[in-house]
Amino acid sequence: MTDAESPTPGTDPADRKRGGGAKLAYETLRDEILDLVLAPGEPIDEASLAERLAMSRTPVREALVRLAGEGLVTMLPNRSTIVAPVDFPNLYAFFDALTLMYRVTTRLAAEFHQPADLDAIRARQAVFARAVQAGDTAAMITHNRDFHAAIAEAGRNSYYTQLFVRLLDEGRRILRLYYYPSFSAQMPHPYILEHEAIIAAVADRDVELCDTLAREHADQIVRQIQEMIARDRRQHLRL
Amino acid sequence: MTDAESPTPGTDPADRKRGGGAKLAYETLRDEILDLVLAPGEPIDEASLAERLAMSRTPVREALVRLAGEGLVTMLPNRSTIVAPVDFPNLYAFFDALTLMYRVTTRLAAEFHQPADLDAIRARQAVFARAVQAGDTAAMITHNRDFHAAIAEAGRNSYYTQLFVRLLDEGRRILRLYYYPSFSAQMPHPYILEHEAIIAAVADRDVELCDTLAREHADQIVRQIQEMIARDRRQHLRL
DNA sequence: TGCATATAGTTTGTCGACAAGTTTTTTGCC
DNA sequence: GGCAAAAAACTTGTCGACAAACTATATGCA
């Protein structure tokens, strides 16, 4: 396929700093993977991607190696790199880890947060609430991620934060996979209220309450995803 | 410095598979970093490393990018890559995450292990015990890591396993930093006994006992490291 | 001598090219 | 027509080269 790929506007190799090529490739690919612009399992061709971003294959390759380290792509030796497939058999492990990270990061936030952290968290929550009111599911998913990432940051444990962000991103991909087609009749106002409760508990430095709220919040999200998957499976059986 | 680096025997570019260059560079660097052959903060020159391994800079660079993703090196933009420094101000976060991963992985091993897993775990424990009896500290550190990694594998949650292995490796580096000079008068037989107790609890599928034992084991290790650091600090003050 | 500036020397980030594997197409045979 | 082997086409992994950015040295001036 020597198709003329869309040249992707805004990528002028001239006004790009030294080292900015790999960064651009990384961020572009990352966004497209998480937004499901690139479907799980879809092959990524280094040459065409390099052409699309107006750069050589070297920085593209660097981006792919980084993404492989984060589990977002799988590099098959001597064969094409593919977008990491969603690992359905291991969804249980995913839910388990996600729930634990919700709890741990929120606990630590209650313990170690500083005044500025609360401002950042509240700002994220405001953006999230706006997305909910606008009914913008895609934005909701993203900003929910950012909200919890901000809480994790306040906990000041980079090991947890890194794993949590990775899990939230993976969840973002799963949600996009199912949430879009699902009926949005029931607006998820509960999430906003739960977020508010979590913020209050963090501000109060109530560690145990944070743990409980985080666990409930996580369980609710896990349940929602499982229901969406189950509904999807029923639909497929009917066809 | 255009010093003639030692050519590192056993690295013949001829009998190296396609794709084996980057792998060799990655594993070599990784081992040298964890064994403190390369000191924390020490710069890594791409060109000389490439020459030492008899390959071009490209596979070396790929290895560095991967190692940066795992936090073992820090790539300073447009400046030399350095071996990741040990982050002493954040040691608390490290201990916290390490302890949690000890507990979680051991719990999950009790729940989900299969017969073959126990064989693998016991094999690691045998190797570890041999290192203890031989008084080989370096080997002890490595095989203790492998023992707990095997338990984590039995828990079948790759998210936890990955983080845990990363933490254990970081701990391996810290231990090497302090353990060598410390007097080895008191042979750490307790570790062997604790390991045996953990194996028995996993085999019995006693989740709560696993949690308790893992926590105690982790606390003991954390305490040991803290004592070593404190002793080291006292020594430095005396000088 | 001490400091700012210019200069030389490294080291990294990116490029284009090429060869080793893969995949796809073509060819030959039954 | 259907299948196996050979060939063409493509993709990746590695190489050597070059220019931008940084570091160390040398130069000039007060």
Side-chain angles (χ1 to χ4, degrees):
Chain A
M1 299 259 189
T2 4
D3 281 39
E5 300 274 348
S6 41
T8 308
T11 55
D12 189 350
D15 49 37
R16 196 152 62 203
K17 280 181 189 132
R18 188 183 157 82
K23 195 178 174 190
L24 175 65
Y26 171 76
E27 287 169 358
T28 304
L29 262 180
R30 183 190 155 80
D31 287 345
E32 293 188 353
I33 290 172
L34 294 180
D35 288 344
L36 286 187
V37 175
L38 300 173
E42 187 177 333
I44 301 173
D45 182 54
E46 294 178 10
S48 56
L49 182 61
E51 194 185 0
R52 182 155 74 91
L53 298 177
M55 61 180 72
S56 117
R57 273 179 51 220
T58 309
V60 169
R61 197 137 220 290
E62 178 171 331
L64 287 177
V65 171
R66 280 177 63 188
L67 290 167
E70 295 170 31
L72 288 179
V73 304
T74 307
M75 297 185 87
L76 308 168
N78 286 326
R79 226 159 311 141
S80 73
T81 300
I82 61 171
V83 178
V86 180
D87 190 5
F88 287 101
N90 274 337
L91 265 189
Y92 175 82
F94 169 74
F95 290 140
D96 189 78
L98 183 68
T99 303
L100 183 63
M101 286 304 111
Y102 263 109
R103 294 173 56 197
V104 171
T105 55
T106 312
R107 287 185 76 115
L108 288 183
E111 244 184 296
F112 296 117
H113 76 86
Q114 289 172 5
D117 296 322
L118 287 178
D119 298 339
I121 292 169
R122 291 205 179 94
R124 307 290 186 113
Q125 164 71 348
V127 177
F128 173 72
R130 226 170 297 144
V132 170
Q133 291 197 314
D136 185 346
T137 13
M140 274 176 51
I141 294 169
T142 305
H143 294 131
N144 178 64
R145 186 213 98 119
D146 291 343
F147 171 76
H148 288 288
I151 291 183
E153 293 283 349
R156 303 211 150 49
N157 186 315
S158 57
Y159 299 104
Y160 294 147
T161 306
Q162 254 187 271
L163 175 57
F164 193 28
V165 164
R166 195 181 146 181
L167 291 164
L168 285 170
D169 281 337
E170 184 65 14
R172 186 173 149 195
R173 221 156 63 111
I174 296 174
L175 279 170
R176 288 246 174 173
L177 213 52
Y178 293 111
Y179 203 85
Y180 243 111
S182 100
F183 66 110
S184 58
Q186 168 228 26
M187 277 282 97
H189 279 100
Y191 282 7
I192 293 189
L193 297 176
E194 288 182 22
H195 281 192
E196 295 292 351
I198 289 174
I199 293 175
V202 169
D204 281 357
R205 301 199 179 278
D206 189 335
V207 175
E208 288 310 318
L209 182 56
C210 276
D211 190 282
T212 306
L213 291 174
R215 177 180 240 149
E216 287 172 0
H217 194 54
D219 286 348
Q220 174 138 357
I221 289 173
V222 168
R223 231 180 294 123
Q224 192 191 344
I225 295 178
Q226 285 176 324
E227 272 172 33
M228 292 188 315
I229 293 176
R231 188 188 315 147
D232 181 81
R233 202 158 283 161
R234 282 199 298 275
Q235 285 182 356
H236 279 291
L237 287 176
R238 246 178 240 140
L239 289 181
Chain B
M1 299 264 186
T2 3
D3 281 39
E5 299 274 348
S6 42
T8 307
T11 55
D12 188 350
D15 48 37
R16 197 152 63 202
K17 283 183 188 130
R18 188 182 157 81
K23 196 179 173 189
L24 174 66
Y26 170 77
E27 287 169 358
T28 304
L29 262 180
R30 183 190 155 79
D31 287 346
E32 293 189 353
I33 291 172
L34 294 180
D35 289 344
L36 286 188
V37 176
L38 300 174
E42 186 177 334
I44 300 173
D45 182 54
E46 296 178 7
S48 56
L49 183 61
E51 193 186 1
R52 182 155 74 92
L53 299 177
M55 61 179 74
S56 117
R57 272 180 52 222
T58 309
V60 168
R61 199 139 220 289
E62 178 170 329
L64 288 177
V65 171
R66 280 176 64 187
L67 289 167
E70 295 169 31
L72 288 179
V73 306
T74 307
M75 297 186 87
L76 308 168
N78 288 326
R79 228 162 308 144
S80 74
T81 300
I82 62 170
V83 178
V86 180
D87 190 5
F88 288 100
N90 274 336
L91 266 188
Y92 176 83
F94 169 74
F95 290 141
D96 190 79
L98 184 68
T99 304
L100 183 62
M101 286 303 109
Y102 263 108
R103 294 174 56 198
V104 170
T105 54
T106 312
R107 286 184 76 114
L108 289 183
E111 243 185 299
F112 296 117
H113 78 85
Q114 289 171 6
D117 296 322
L118 287 178
D119 298 339
I121 293 169
R122 290 205 179 94
R124 308 287 186 113
Q125 164 69 348
V127 177
F128 173 73
R130 225 170 297 146
V132 171
Q133 291 198 315
D136 184 345
T137 11
M140 272 176 54
I141 294 169
T142 306
H143 295 130
N144 179 63
R145 185 213 98 119
D146 291 343
F147 171 76
H148 288 287
I151 291 183
E153 293 282 350
R156 302 208 152 50
N157 187 316
S158 58
Y159 298 103
Y160 294 146
T161 305
Q162 254 189 271
L163 175 57
F164 192 28
V165 164
R166 196 182 144 181
L167 291 163
L168 286 169
D169 281 336
E170 184 65 13
R172 184 173 149 195
R173 222 157 60 110
I174 297 174
L175 279 170
R176 288 246 175 174
L177 212 50
Y178 292 111
Y179 202 85
Y180 244 112
S182 101
F183 65 110
S184 59
Q186 169 227 28
M187 277 281 98
H189 282 102
Y191 282 8
I192 292 187
L193 297 177
E194 287 182 24
H195 281 190
E196 296 291 351
I198 289 174
I199 293 176
V202 168
D204 281 358
R205 301 200 180 277
D206 189 333
V207 175
E208 287 310 318
L209 182 58
C210 276
D211 189 281
T212 306
L213 291 174
R215 175 180 244 149
E216 287 172 0
H217 193 54
D219 285 349
Q220 173 137 358
I221 289 173
V222 168
R223 230 179 296 126
Q224 191 191 345
I225 295 177
Q226 284 176 326
E227 273 172 32
M228 292 189 314
I229 293 176
R231 187 188 317 150
D232 181 79
R233 201 158 285 158
R234 281 197 299 274
Q235 285 183 354
H236 279 292
L237 286 176
R238 245 176 242 144
L239 287 182

